[in-house]
Coordinates of all heavy atoms in Angstrom, one line a residue:
P20 N 40.0 -1.2 25.4 CA 39.8 -2.3 24.5 C 38.9 -3.4 25.1 O 39.0 -3.7 26.2 CB 41.2 -2.8 24.3 CG 42.2 -1.8 24.8 CD 41.4 -1.0 25.8
T21 N 38.1 -3.9 24.2 CA 37.2 -5.0 24.6 C 37.9 -6.3 24.4 O 38.8 -6.4 23.6 CB 35.9 -4.9 23.8 OG1 36.2 -5.2 22.5 CG2 35.2 -3.6 24.0
P22 N 37.5 -7.3 25.1 CA 38.1 -8.6 24.9 C 38.1 -9.1 23.5 O 39.0 -9.8 23.0 CB 37.3 -9.6 25.8 CG 36.8 -8.7 26.9 CD 36.5 -7.4 26.2
A23 N 37.0 -8.8 22.7 CA 37.0 -9.2 21.3 C 38.0 -8.5 20.5 O 38.4 -9.0 19.4 CB 35.6 -8.9 20.8
R24 N 38.5 -7.4 20.9 CA 39.5 -6.6 20.1 C 40.9 -6.9 20.6 O 41.9 -6.3 20.0 CB 39.2 -5.1 20.2 CG 38.0 -4.7 19.5 CD 37.8 -3.3 19.5 NE 36.6 -2.9 18.9 CZ 36.1 -1.6 18.8 NH1 36.8 -0.7 19.5 NH2 35.0 -1.4 18.2
T25 N 41.1 -7.7 21.6 CA 42.5 -7.9 22.1 C 43.1 -9.2 21.7 O 44.2 -9.4 22.0 CB 42.5 -7.8 23.7 OG1 41.6 -8.8 24.2 CG2 42.1 -6.4 24.2
S26 N 42.4 -10.0 20.9 CA 43.0 -11.2 20.5 C 44.0 -10.9 19.4 O 44.0 -9.9 18.7 CB 41.9 -12.2 19.9 OG 41.5 -11.7 18.6
Q27 N 45.0 -11.8 19.2 CA 46.1 -11.5 18.3 C 45.5 -11.4 16.9 O 46.0 -10.6 16.1 CB 47.1 -12.6 18.4 CG 48.4 -12.3 17.6 CD 49.5 -13.3 17.8 OE1 49.3 -14.3 18.5 NE2 50.6 -13.1 17.3
I28 N 44.6 -12.3 16.5 CA 44.1 -12.3 15.2 C 43.3 -11.0 14.9 O 43.4 -10.4 13.8 CB 43.2 -13.5 14.9 CG1 42.8 -13.6 13.4 CG2 41.9 -13.5 15.7 CD1 44.0 -13.9 12.5
A29 N 42.5 -10.5 15.9 CA 41.8 -9.2 15.7 C 42.8 -8.1 15.5 O 42.5 -7.2 14.7 CB 40.9 -9.0 16.9
R30 N 43.8 -8.0 16.3 CA 44.8 -7.0 16.2 C 45.5 -7.0 14.8 O 45.7 -6.0 14.2 CB 45.8 -7.0 17.3 CG 45.2 -6.6 18.6 CD 46.3 -6.5 19.7 NE 47.1 -7.7 19.6 CZ 47.5 -8.4 20.6 NH1 47.1 -8.1 21.9 NH2 48.3 -9.5 20.5
A31 N 45.9 -8.2 14.4 CA 46.6 -8.4 13.1 C 45.7 -8.0 12.0 O 46.1 -7.3 11.0 CB 47.0 -9.8 12.9
T32 N 44.4 -8.4 12.0 CA 43.4 -8.0 11.0 C 43.3 -6.5 10.9 O 43.3 -5.9 9.9 CB 42.1 -8.7 11.3 OG1 42.3 -10.1 11.3 CG2 41.1 -8.3 10.2
N33 N 43.2 -5.9 12.1 CA 43.0 -4.4 12.1 C 44.3 -3.7 11.6 O 44.1 -2.7 10.9 CB 42.7 -4.0 13.6 CG 42.3 -2.5 13.7 OD1 41.8 -2.0 12.7 ND2 42.6 -1.9 14.8
L34 N 45.4 -4.2 11.9 CA 46.7 -3.7 11.4 C 46.7 -3.7 9.8 O 47.0 -2.8 9.2 CB 47.9 -4.4 12.0 CG 49.2 -3.9 11.4 CD1 49.5 -2.5 11.8 CD2 50.3 -4.8 12.0
V35 N 46.4 -4.9 9.3 CA 46.4 -5.1 7.8 C 45.4 -4.2 7.2 O 45.6 -3.5 6.2 CB 46.2 -6.6 7.5 CG1 45.9 -6.7 6.0 CG2 47.4 -7.4 7.9
W36 N 44.1 -4.2 7.7 CA 43.1 -3.3 7.2 C 43.4 -1.8 7.2 O 43.3 -1.1 6.2 CB 41.8 -3.6 8.0 CG 40.6 -2.7 7.5 CD1 40.1 -1.7 8.2 CD2 39.9 -2.8 6.3 NE1 39.1 -1.1 7.4 CE2 38.9 -1.8 6.3 CE3 40.0 -3.7 5.2 CZ2 38.0 -1.6 5.2 CZ3 39.1 -3.5 4.2 CH2 38.1 -2.5 4.2
S37 N 43.9 -1.4 8.3 CA 44.3 0.0 8.4 C 45.5 0.4 7.5 O 45.5 1.5 6.9 CB 44.7 0.4 9.9 OG 43.6 0.2 10.7
S38 N 46.4 -0.5 7.4 CA 47.6 -0.3 6.5 C 47.1 -0.2 5.1 O 47.6 0.6 4.3 CB 48.6 -1.4 6.7 OG 49.2 -1.4 8.0
L39 N 46.2 -1.1 4.7 CA 45.7 -1.1 3.3 C 44.9 0.2 3.0 O 45.0 0.8 1.9 CB 44.8 -2.3 3.0 CG 45.6 -3.6 2.9 CD1 44.7 -4.8 2.8 CD2 46.6 -3.6 1.7
K40 N 44.1 0.7 4.0 CA 43.4 1.9 3.8 C 44.4 3.1 3.6 O 44.2 4.0 2.8 CB 42.5 2.2 5.0 CG 41.2 1.4 5.0 CD 40.3 1.6 6.2 CE 40.3 3.0 6.7 NZ 39.3 3.2 7.8
F41 N 45.4 3.1 4.4 CA 46.5 4.1 4.3 C 47.2 4.1 3.0 O 47.3 5.1 2.3 CB 47.5 4.0 5.5 CG 48.6 5.0 5.5 CD1 48.3 6.3 6.0 CD2 49.8 4.7 5.0 CE1 49.3 7.2 6.0 CE2 50.8 5.7 5.0 CZ 50.6 6.9 5.5
Y42 N 47.5 2.8 2.6 CA 48.2 2.7 1.3 C 47.3 3.2 0.1 O 47.8 3.9 -0.8 CB 48.5 1.2 1.1 CG 49.0 0.9 -0.4 CD1 50.2 1.2 -0.8 CD2 48.1 0.3 -1.3 CE1 50.6 1.0 -2.1 CE2 48.5 0.0 -2.6 CZ 49.7 0.4 -3.0 OH 50.1 0.2 -4.3
C43 N 46.1 2.8 0.2 CA 45.1 3.3 -0.9 C 45.0 4.8 -0.9 O 45.0 5.4 -2.0 CB 43.8 2.6 -0.8 SG 43.8 0.9 -1.2
S44 N 45.0 5.4 0.2 CA 44.9 6.9 0.2 C 46.2 7.5 -0.3 O 46.1 8.6 -0.9 CB 44.5 7.4 1.6 OG 45.5 7.1 2.5
V45 N 47.3 6.9 0.0 CA 48.6 7.4 -0.5 C 48.6 7.2 -2.0 O 48.9 8.2 -2.8 CB 49.8 6.7 0.1 CG1 51.1 7.1 -0.6 CG2 49.9 7.1 1.6
R46 N 48.3 6.1 -2.5 CA 48.3 5.7 -3.9 C 47.3 6.6 -4.7 O 47.7 7.1 -5.8 CB 47.9 4.3 -4.1 CG 47.9 3.8 -5.6 CD 47.2 2.5 -5.7 NE 45.8 2.6 -5.3 CZ 45.0 1.6 -5.1 NH1 45.5 0.3 -5.2 NH2 43.8 1.7 -4.7
D47 N 46.1 6.9 -4.2 CA 45.1 7.7 -4.9 C 45.3 9.2 -4.7 O 44.6 10.0 -5.3 CB 43.7 7.3 -4.4 CG 43.4 5.8 -4.6 OD1 44.0 5.2 -5.5 OD2 42.5 5.3 -3.9
G48 N 46.2 9.6 -3.9 CA 46.5 11.0 -3.7 C 45.5 11.7 -2.8 O 45.3 12.9 -2.9
T49 N 44.7 10.9 -2.0 CA 43.7 11.5 -1.2 C 44.1 11.7 0.3 O 43.3 12.2 1.1 CB 42.4 10.7 -1.2 OG1 42.7 9.3 -0.8 CG2 41.8 10.6 -2.6
L50 N 45.3 11.3 0.6 CA 45.8 11.5 2.0 C 46.0 13.0 2.3 O 46.7 13.7 1.6 CB 47.1 10.7 2.2 CG 47.7 10.7 3.6 CD1 46.8 10.0 4.5 CD2 49.1 10.0 3.6
E51 N 45.5 13.4 3.4 CA 45.7 14.8 3.8 C 47.1 15.0 4.2 O 47.7 14.1 4.9 CB 44.8 15.1 5.0 CG 43.3 15.1 4.7 CD 42.9 16.3 3.9 OE1 43.5 17.4 4.0 OE2 42.0 16.1 3.0
P52 N 47.8 16.1 3.8 CA 49.2 16.3 4.1 C 49.4 16.5 5.6 O 48.6 17.0 6.3 CB 49.6 17.5 3.4 CG 48.3 18.2 3.1 CD 47.2 17.2 3.0
D53 N 50.5 15.9 6.1 CA 50.9 16.2 7.5 C 51.3 17.7 7.6 O 51.8 18.3 6.6 CB 52.2 15.4 7.9 CG 51.8 13.9 8.1 OD1 50.7 13.6 8.4 OD2 52.7 13.1 7.9
M54 N 51.0 18.3 8.7 CA 51.2 19.7 8.9 C 52.1 20.0 10.1 O 52.1 19.3 11.0 CB 49.9 20.4 9.1 CG 48.8 20.2 8.0 SD 49.2 21.0 6.5 CE 48.7 22.7 6.9
Q55 N 52.9 21.0 9.9 CA 53.6 21.6 11.0 C 53.1 23.0 11.2 O 53.4 23.9 10.4 CB 55.1 21.6 10.8 CG 55.9 22.1 12.0 CD 57.4 21.9 11.7 OE1 57.9 21.7 10.6 NE2 58.2 22.1 12.8
R56 N 52.2 23.1 12.2 CA 51.4 24.3 12.4 C 50.6 24.6 11.1 O 49.7 23.9 10.8 CB 52.3 25.5 12.8 CG 53.0 25.3 14.1 CD 53.6 26.5 14.6 NE 54.3 26.1 15.9 CZ 54.9 26.9 16.6 NH1 54.9 28.2 16.3 NH2 55.5 26.5 17.7
T57 N 51.0 25.6 10.3 CA 50.2 25.9 9.1 C 50.9 25.5 7.8 O 50.4 25.8 6.7 CB 49.8 27.4 9.1 OG1 51.0 28.1 9.0 CG2 49.0 27.8 10.3
T58 N 52.1 24.8 8.0 CA 52.9 24.5 6.8 C 52.7 23.0 6.5 O 53.0 22.2 7.3 CB 54.4 24.8 7.0 OG1 54.5 26.2 7.4 CG2 55.2 24.6 5.8
P59 N 52.3 22.7 5.3 CA 52.3 21.2 4.9 C 53.7 20.7 4.7 O 54.6 21.3 4.2 CB 51.5 21.2 3.6 CG 51.6 22.6 3.0 CD 51.8 23.5 4.2
L60 N 53.9 19.4 5.2 CA 55.2 18.8 5.1 C 55.2 17.9 3.8 O 54.2 17.5 3.3 CB 55.4 17.9 6.3 CG 55.4 18.6 7.7 CD1 55.5 17.6 8.8 CD2 56.5 19.6 7.8
C61 N 56.4 17.7 3.3 CA 56.6 16.9 2.2 C 56.3 15.4 2.5 O 56.8 14.9 3.5 CB 58.1 17.0 1.7 SG 58.4 15.9 0.3
M62 N 55.5 14.8 1.7 CA 55.0 13.4 1.9 C 55.5 12.5 0.8 O 54.9 11.4 0.6 CB 53.5 13.4 2.2 CG 53.2 14.2 3.4 SD 51.4 14.3 3.7 CE 50.7 12.9 3.2
A63 N 56.5 12.9 0.0 CA 56.9 12.1 -1.1 C 57.4 10.8 -0.7 O 57.3 9.8 -1.5 CB 58.0 12.9 -1.9
Q64 N 58.0 10.7 0.5 CA 58.5 9.4 0.9 C 57.5 8.3 1.2 O 57.8 7.2 1.2 CB 59.4 9.6 2.2 CG 58.6 10.0 3.4 CD 58.4 11.5 3.6 OE1 58.5 12.2 2.6 NE2 57.9 11.9 4.7
Y65 N 56.2 8.7 1.4 CA 55.2 7.8 1.7 C 54.9 6.8 0.5 O 54.5 5.7 0.8 CB 53.9 8.5 2.0 CG 53.8 9.1 3.4 CD1 54.9 9.0 4.3 CD2 52.6 9.7 3.8 CE1 54.8 9.6 5.6 CE2 52.5 10.3 5.1 CZ 53.6 10.2 6.0 OH 53.5 10.7 7.2
S66 N 55.2 7.2 -0.7 CA 55.0 6.3 -1.8 C 56.0 5.2 -1.8 O 55.8 4.1 -2.4 CB 55.2 7.1 -3.1 OG 56.5 7.6 -3.3
R67 N 57.1 5.3 -1.0 CA 58.1 4.2 -0.9 C 57.9 3.4 0.3 O 58.7 2.5 0.6 CB 59.5 4.8 -0.9 CG 59.8 5.5 -2.3 CD 61.3 5.9 -2.2 NE 61.7 7.2 -2.7 CZ 61.1 8.4 -2.7 NH1 60.0 8.5 -2.1 NH2 61.7 9.4 -3.1
L68 N 56.9 3.7 1.1 CA 56.6 2.9 2.3 C 56.2 1.5 2.1 O 56.4 0.6 2.8 CB 55.6 3.7 3.2 CG 55.3 3.2 4.6 CD1 56.6 3.3 5.4 CD2 54.3 4.1 5.2
F69 N 55.4 1.3 1.0 CA 54.9 0.0 0.6 C 55.5 -0.5 -0.7 O 55.8 0.3 -1.5 CB 53.4 0.0 0.5 CG 52.7 0.5 1.7 CD1 52.4 1.8 1.9 CD2 52.4 -0.4 2.7 CE1 51.7 2.2 3.1 CE2 51.7 0.0 3.9 CZ 51.4 1.3 4.1
G70 N 55.7 -1.8 -0.8 CA 56.2 -2.4 -2.1 C 57.7 -2.2 -2.2 O 58.3 -2.3 -3.3
T71 N 58.4 -2.0 -1.1 CA 59.8 -1.7 -1.1 C 60.6 -2.9 -0.5 O 60.1 -3.4 0.6 CB 60.2 -0.4 -0.4 OG1 59.5 0.7 -1.1 CG2 61.7 -0.1 -0.5
A72 N 61.7 -3.3 -1.1 CA 62.5 -4.4 -0.5 C 63.9 -4.0 -0.5 O 64.4 -3.4 -1.5 CB 62.2 -5.7 -1.3
R73 N 64.6 -4.4 0.5 CA 66.1 -4.3 0.5 C 66.7 -5.6 0.0 O 66.5 -6.6 0.6 CB 66.5 -4.0 2.0 CG 68.0 -3.8 2.1 CD 68.3 -3.5 3.6 NE 69.7 -3.6 3.9 CZ 70.2 -3.5 5.1 NH1 69.4 -3.2 6.1 NH2 71.5 -3.6 5.3
I74 N 67.5 -5.5 -1.0 CA 68.1 -6.7 -1.7 C 69.5 -6.7 -1.3 O 70.3 -5.8 -1.6 CB 68.0 -6.6 -3.2 CG1 66.5 -6.3 -3.6 CG2 68.5 -7.9 -3.8 CD1 65.5 -7.3 -3.2
P75 N 69.9 -7.8 -0.5 CA 71.3 -7.8 -0.1 C 72.3 -8.1 -1.3 O 71.9 -8.7 -2.3 CB 71.4 -9.1 0.8 CG 70.1 -9.8 0.6 CD 69.2 -8.9 -0.1
G76 N 73.4 -7.4 -1.3 CA 74.4 -7.5 -2.3 C 75.8 -7.6 -1.7 O 76.0 -7.4 -0.5
R77 N 76.7 -8.0 -2.5 CA 78.1 -8.1 -2.1 C 78.7 -6.7 -1.9 O 78.8 -6.0 -2.9 CB 78.9 -8.9 -3.1 CG 80.3 -9.3 -2.6 CD 80.8 -10.3 -3.5 NE 80.2 -11.6 -3.2 CZ 80.8 -12.8 -3.3 NH1 82.0 -12.8 -3.9 NH2 80.2 -13.9 -3.0
G78 N 79.0 -6.3 -0.7 CA 79.5 -5.0 -0.4 C 78.5 -3.9 -0.2 O 78.7 -3.0 0.6
V79 N 77.4 -4.0 -0.9 CA 76.4 -3.0 -0.8 C 75.0 -3.6 -1.1 O 74.9 -4.4 -2.0 CB 76.7 -1.8 -1.7 CG1 76.6 -2.1 -3.2 CG2 75.8 -0.6 -1.4
D80 N 74.0 -3.1 -0.3 CA 72.6 -3.6 -0.6 C 72.0 -2.6 -1.5 O 72.4 -1.4 -1.6 CB 71.8 -3.6 0.7 CG 72.4 -4.7 1.6 OD1 73.2 -5.6 1.2 OD2 72.0 -4.7 2.8
T81 N 70.9 -3.0 -2.2 CA 70.1 -2.1 -3.0 C 68.7 -2.1 -2.5 O 68.2 -3.0 -1.9 CB 70.2 -2.5 -4.5 OG1 69.7 -3.8 -4.6 CG2 71.6 -2.4 -5.1
V82 N 68.0 -1.0 -2.8 CA 66.6 -0.9 -2.5 C 65.8 -0.9 -3.8 O 66.1 -0.2 -4.7 CB 66.3 0.4 -1.7 CG1 64.8 0.5 -1.4 CG2 67.1 0.4 -0.4
Q83 N 64.8 -1.8 -3.9 CA 64.0 -1.9 -5.0 C 62.5 -1.6 -4.7 O 62.0 -2.0 -3.6 CB 64.0 -3.3 -5.7 CG 65.4 -3.6 -6.3 CD 65.4 -4.9 -7.1 OE1 64.5 -5.7 -7.0 NE2 66.4 -5.1 -7.9
L84 N 61.8 -0.9 -5.6 CA 60.4 -0.5 -5.4 C 59.6 -1.2 -6.5 O 59.9 -1.1 -7.6 CB 60.3 1.0 -5.4 CG 58.9 1.6 -5.4 CD1 58.2 1.2 -4.1 CD2 58.9 3.1 -5.6
N85 N 58.6 -1.9 -6.1 CA 57.6 -2.5 -7.0 C 56.3 -1.8 -6.8 O 55.5 -2.2 -5.8 CB 57.5 -4.0 -6.8 CG 56.6 -4.6 -7.7 OD1 55.9 -4.0 -8.5 ND2 56.5 -5.9 -7.7
Q86 N 55.9 -0.8 -7.6 CA 54.7 -0.1 -7.4 C 53.4 -0.9 -7.8 O 52.3 -0.6 -7.5 CB 54.7 1.2 -8.3 CG 55.7 2.1 -7.7 CD 55.8 3.4 -8.5 OE1 55.4 3.5 -9.7 NE2 56.2 4.5 -7.9
D87 N 53.6 -2.1 -8.4 CA 52.5 -3.0 -8.8 C 52.3 -4.0 -7.7 O 51.4 -4.9 -7.9 CB 52.8 -3.7 -10.1 CG 52.9 -2.7 -11.3 OD1 52.2 -1.7 -11.2 OD2 53.7 -2.9 -12.2
S88 N 53.0 -3.9 -6.6 CA 52.8 -4.9 -5.5 C 51.4 -4.9 -5.0 O 50.8 -3.8 -4.8 CB 53.8 -4.6 -4.4 OG 53.6 -5.5 -3.3
N89 N 50.8 -6.1 -4.9 CA 49.4 -6.2 -4.4 C 49.2 -7.3 -3.3 O 48.2 -7.8 -3.2 CB 48.4 -6.4 -5.5 CG 48.7 -7.7 -6.3 OD1 49.7 -8.4 -6.0 ND2 47.8 -8.1 -7.1
H90 N 50.3 -7.6 -2.6 CA 50.3 -8.7 -1.7 C 50.9 -8.3 -0.4 O 51.6 -7.3 -0.3 CB 51.0 -9.9 -2.3 CG 52.5 -9.7 -2.4 ND1 53.1 -9.0 -3.4 CD2 53.5 -10.0 -1.6 CE1 54.4 -8.9 -3.3 NE2 54.7 -9.5 -2.1
I91 N 50.7 -9.1 0.6 CA 51.4 -9.1 1.9 C 51.9 -10.5 2.2 O 51.5 -11.5 1.6 CB 50.5 -8.6 3.1 CG1 49.3 -9.6 3.3 CG2 49.9 -7.2 2.8 CD1 48.5 -9.4 4.6
V92 N 52.9 -10.5 3.0 CA 53.5 -11.8 3.4 C 53.2 -12.0 4.9 O 53.5 -11.1 5.7 CB 55.0 -11.8 3.1 CG1 55.6 -13.1 3.7 CG2 55.3 -11.7 1.6
V93 N 52.7 -13.1 5.3 CA 52.4 -13.4 6.7 C 53.2 -14.6 7.1 O 53.2 -15.6 6.4 CB 50.9 -13.7 6.9 CG1 50.6 -14.1 8.3 CG2 50.0 -12.5 6.5
M94 N 53.9 -14.5 8.2 CA 54.7 -15.6 8.8 C 54.0 -16.0 10.1 O 53.8 -15.2 10.9 CB 56.1 -15.1 9.0 CG 56.8 -14.8 7.7 SD 58.6 -14.4 7.9 CE 58.4 -12.7 8.3
S95 N 53.8 -17.3 10.1 CA 53.1 -17.9 11.3 C 53.6 -19.3 11.5 O 53.5 -20.2 10.6 CB 51.6 -17.9 11.1 OG 51.0 -18.5 12.2
R96 N 54.1 -19.6 12.7 CA 54.6 -20.9 13.1 C 55.5 -21.6 12.1 O 55.4 -22.8 11.8 CB 53.4 -21.8 13.4 CG 52.5 -21.3 14.5 CD 51.4 -22.2 14.8 NE 50.5 -21.6 15.9 CZ 49.5 -22.1 16.3 NH1 49.1 -23.3 15.9 NH2 48.8 -21.5 17.3
G97 N 56.5 -20.8 11.6 CA 57.4 -21.4 10.7 C 57.0 -21.5 9.3 O 57.7 -22.0 8.4
H98 N 55.8 -21.0 9.0 CA 55.2 -21.0 7.6 C 55.2 -19.6 7.1 O 54.9 -18.7 7.8 CB 53.9 -21.7 7.5 CG 53.9 -23.1 7.9 ND1 53.9 -23.6 9.2 CD2 53.9 -24.2 7.1 CE1 54.0 -24.9 9.1 NE2 53.9 -25.3 7.9
V99 N 55.3 -19.5 5.7 CA 55.2 -18.2 5.1 C 54.1 -18.2 4.1 O 54.0 -19.1 3.3 CB 56.5 -17.9 4.3 CG1 56.4 -16.5 3.6 CG2 57.7 -17.9 5.3
Y100 N 53.2 -17.3 4.3 CA 52.0 -17.2 3.4 C 52.0 -15.9 2.6 O 52.3 -14.8 3.1 CB 50.7 -17.2 4.3 CG 50.6 -18.4 5.1 CD1 51.1 -18.4 6.5 CD2 50.1 -19.6 4.7 CE1 51.0 -19.5 7.3 CE2 50.0 -20.7 5.5 CZ 50.4 -20.7 6.8 OH 50.3 -21.8 7.5
F101 N 51.8 -16.0 1.3 CA 51.8 -14.9 0.4 C 50.3 -14.7 0.0 O 49.6 -15.5 -0.5 CB 52.5 -15.4 -0.9 CG 52.6 -14.4 -2.0 CD1 53.7 -13.5 -2.1 CD2 51.6 -14.3 -2.9 CE1 53.8 -12.6 -3.1 CE2 51.7 -13.4 -4.0 CZ 52.8 -12.5 -4.1
L102 N 49.8 -13.5 0.5 CA 48.3 -13.3 0.3 C 48.1 -12.0 -0.6 O 48.6 -10.9 -0.3 CB 47.7 -13.0 1.7 CG 47.8 -14.1 2.7 CD1 47.4 -13.6 4.1 CD2 47.1 -15.3 2.3
E103 N 47.4 -12.2 -1.6 CA 47.0 -11.1 -2.5 C 45.9 -10.3 -1.8 O 44.8 -10.9 -1.5 CB 46.6 -11.6 -3.9 CG 46.3 -10.4 -4.8 CD 46.1 -10.9 -6.2 OE1 46.7 -11.9 -6.7 OE2 45.2 -10.3 -6.9
V104 N 46.1 -9.1 -1.5 CA 45.1 -8.3 -0.7 C 44.5 -7.1 -1.5 O 43.5 -6.5 -1.1 CB 45.7 -7.8 0.6 CG1 46.0 -8.9 1.5 CG2 47.0 -6.9 0.3
L105 N 45.1 -6.8 -2.7 CA 44.6 -5.8 -3.5 C 44.2 -6.3 -4.9 O 45.1 -7.0 -5.5 CB 45.6 -4.6 -3.6 CG 45.9 -3.8 -2.4 CD1 47.1 -2.9 -2.6 CD2 44.7 -3.1 -1.9
G106 N 43.1 -6.0 -5.4 CA 42.7 -6.5 -6.7 C 43.4 -5.6 -7.8 O 44.0 -4.6 -7.5
R107 N 43.4 -6.1 -8.9 CA 44.1 -5.4 -10.1 C 43.3 -4.3 -10.6 O 42.2 -4.3 -10.7 CB 44.5 -6.4 -11.1 CG 45.5 -7.4 -10.7 CD 46.8 -7.1 -11.2 NE 47.8 -7.9 -10.5 CZ 49.0 -7.5 -10.4 NH1 49.4 -6.4 -10.9 NH2 49.9 -8.2 -9.7

Protein backbone atom coordinates (compact mmCIF):
# COMPACT_ATOMS: atom_id res chain seq x y z
CA PRO A 1 0.00 0.00 0.00
CA THR A 2 1.14 3.49 -0.80
CA PRO A 3 0.85 6.30 1.77
CA ALA A 4 -1.93 7.87 -0.32
CA ARG A 5 -4.00 4.70 0.07
CA THR A 6 -3.48 4.18 3.77
CA SER A 7 -5.33 7.21 5.09
CA GLN A 8 -8.62 6.49 6.85
CA ILE A 9 -10.63 8.55 4.36
CA ALA A 10 -9.06 6.74 1.39
CA ARG A 11 -9.83 3.33 2.91
CA ALA A 12 -13.40 4.35 3.78
CA THR A 13 -13.96 5.71 0.28
CA ASN A 14 -12.62 2.52 -1.27
CA LEU A 15 -14.82 0.40 0.99
CA VAL A 16 -17.97 2.35 0.05
CA TRP A 17 -17.12 2.36 -3.67
CA SER A 18 -16.35 -1.36 -3.73
CA SER A 19 -19.49 -2.19 -1.73
CA LEU A 20 -21.64 -0.16 -4.13
CA LYS A 21 -20.11 -1.90 -7.15
CA PHE A 22 -20.81 -5.27 -5.52
CA TYR A 23 -24.38 -4.21 -4.64
CA CYS A 24 -25.06 -3.08 -8.22
CA SER A 25 -23.78 -6.35 -9.66
CA VAL A 26 -26.01 -8.32 -7.24
CA ARG A 27 -29.01 -6.11 -8.04
CA ASP A 28 -28.47 -6.31 -11.80
CA GLY A 29 -27.82 -10.06 -11.77
CA THR A 30 -24.36 -9.70 -13.30
CA LEU A 31 -22.39 -11.10 -10.35
CA GLU A 32 -20.55 -14.27 -11.27
CA PRO A 33 -21.67 -17.16 -9.04
CA ASP A 34 -19.38 -18.41 -6.31
CA MET A 35 -18.10 -21.85 -7.19
CA GLN A 36 -17.09 -24.92 -5.26
CA ARG A 37 -14.85 -26.61 -7.77
CA THR A 38 -17.22 -26.90 -10.74
CA THR A 39 -20.51 -26.48 -8.87
CA PRO A 40 -22.09 -23.02 -8.58
CA LEU A 41 -23.22 -22.12 -5.05
CA CYS A 42 -26.59 -20.61 -4.16
CA MET A 43 -26.26 -16.84 -3.92
CA ALA A 44 -29.88 -15.98 -3.03
CA GLN A 45 -28.78 -14.60 0.35
CA TYR A 46 -26.74 -11.84 -1.31
CA SER A 47 -29.92 -9.91 -2.12
CA ARG A 48 -30.48 -9.52 1.63
CA LEU A 49 -26.97 -8.27 2.34
CA PHE A 50 -27.89 -4.62 1.70
CA GLY A 51 -30.98 -2.67 2.78
CA THR A 52 -31.64 -4.98 5.71
CA ALA A 53 -32.25 -3.87 9.28
CA ARG A 54 -32.85 -5.71 12.54
CA ILE A 55 -35.76 -4.10 14.35
CA PRO A 56 -35.79 -4.72 18.11
CA GLY A 57 -39.05 -5.95 19.54
CA ARG A 58 -40.41 -7.07 22.86
CA GLY A 59 -39.41 -10.71 23.21
CA VAL A 60 -38.33 -11.11 19.61
CA ASP A 61 -36.61 -9.00 16.97
CA THR A 62 -37.69 -8.82 13.35
CA VAL A 63 -35.68 -8.39 10.18
CA GLN A 64 -36.92 -5.96 7.56
CA LEU A 65 -35.68 -5.62 4.00
CA ASN A 66 -36.05 -2.41 2.01
CA GLN A 67 -35.11 -3.13 -1.60
CA ASP A 68 -35.53 0.55 -2.50
CA SER A 69 -32.76 1.61 -0.13
CA ASN A 70 -30.34 4.01 -1.82
CA HIS A 71 -28.38 5.44 1.09
CA ILE A 72 -25.61 4.72 3.55
CA VAL A 73 -25.21 5.95 7.11
CA VAL A 74 -21.85 7.31 8.22
CA MET A 75 -21.03 7.90 11.87
CA SER A 76 -18.16 10.22 12.72
CA ARG A 77 -17.23 11.97 15.96
CA GLY A 78 -20.66 11.52 17.49
CA HIS A 79 -22.53 12.69 14.39
CA VAL A 80 -24.69 10.58 12.09
CA TYR A 81 -24.79 11.38 8.38
CA PHE A 82 -27.39 9.98 5.98
CA LEU A 83 -25.93 9.98 2.45
CA GLU A 84 -27.82 9.10 -0.71
CA VAL A 85 -25.34 7.16 -2.82
CA LEU A 86 -27.51 5.61 -5.51
CA GLY A 87 -29.67 7.57 -7.93
CA ARG A 88 -33.25 6.59 -8.56
